[in-house]
């Protein structure tokens, strides 16, 4: 989950998948390569999908399970805080992005697990546990 603060409001980066990949809104997502640390995988996926490298990593120690193609997987959630002026450069996986306040982000998301994850990271950051980065 990518967040930035503009004024008093926190915004969440929402990415719209290309039509061939479902055409729905989601946060940055991705997998872990064999032997890769989960936090490093999160930062790699962030860079691959958005071009963003300057950020503060937030680990809410939050996970959820989902089933895809008959296989149950555990997803580990991370957040990153970026500067107010940061804008992504999208990969071909996504066709559009928008910065959304929490209520709009929740409305855009397709999956309950993503809604809960966004809410978890947003609340942790907005409560002041993590300050604004210099980036």
């Amino acid at each position: 989950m990518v967040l930035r603060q503009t004024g008093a409001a926190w915004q969440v980066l929402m990415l719209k998948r290309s039509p061939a990949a479902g055409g729905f809104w989601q946060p940055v997502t991705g997998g872990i390569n064999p032997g890769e640390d989960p936090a490093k995988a999160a930062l790699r996926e962030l860079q691959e999908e958005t071009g963003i490298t300057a950020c503060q990593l937030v680990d809410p120690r939050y996970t959820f399970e989902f089933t895809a193609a008959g296989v149950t997987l555990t997803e580990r959630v991370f957040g990153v805080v970026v500067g107010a002026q940061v804008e992504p450069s999208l990969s071909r996986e996504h066709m559009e992005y928008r910065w959304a306040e929490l209520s709009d982000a929740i409305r855009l998301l397709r999956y309950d697990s993503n809604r809960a994850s966004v809410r978890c990271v947003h609340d942790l950051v907005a409560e002041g546990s993590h300050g604004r980065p210099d980036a």
Side-chain angles (χ1 to χ4, degrees):
M1 312 298 157
V2 182
L3 291 97
R4 72 178 185 182
Q5 188 174 22
T6 57
W10 284 95
Q11 298 176 321
V12 180
L13 179 63
M14 302 298 301
L15 306 174
K16 188 171 187 181
R17 291 178 65 89
S18 64
F24 56 88
W25 290 94
Q26 67 178 156
V28 172
T29 62
I32 300 174
N33 293 328
E36 188 175 30
D37 173 77
K40 288 182 181 178
L43 293 173
R44 176 185 48 75
E45 288 287 349
L46 174 68
Q47 193 279 325
E48 288 176 2
E49 293 186 17
T50 69
I52 295 172
T53 57
C55 61
Q56 174 190 0
L57 185 69
V58 177
D59 185 356
R61 301 197 189 327
Y62 182 81
T63 62
F64 64 89
E65 290 185 346
F66 67 99
T67 302
V71 177
T72 300
L73 302 168
T74 299
E75 183 139 339
R76 174 101 181 259
V77 176
F78 289 94
V80 295
V81 178
V82 299
Q85 303 306 316
V86 170
E87 298 294 340
S89 298
L90 299 181
S91 69
R92 287 184 274 188
E93 186 176 337
H94 299 97
M95 57 185 264
E96 184 180 344
Y97 78 91
R98 75 171 69 162
W99 289 101
E101 292 192 21
L102 180 62
S103 60
D104 291 331
I106 297 296
R107 182 182 51 78
L108 287 172
L109 290 165
R110 173 186 246 181
Y111 299 107
D112 288 338
S113 57
N114 287 154
R115 290 184 193 106
S117 298
V118 165
R119 190 175 283 114
C120 173
V121 173
H122 175 276
D123 291 351
L124 177 67
V125 170
E127 287 173 4
S129 299
H130 297 82
R132 292 174 83 166
D134 294 329

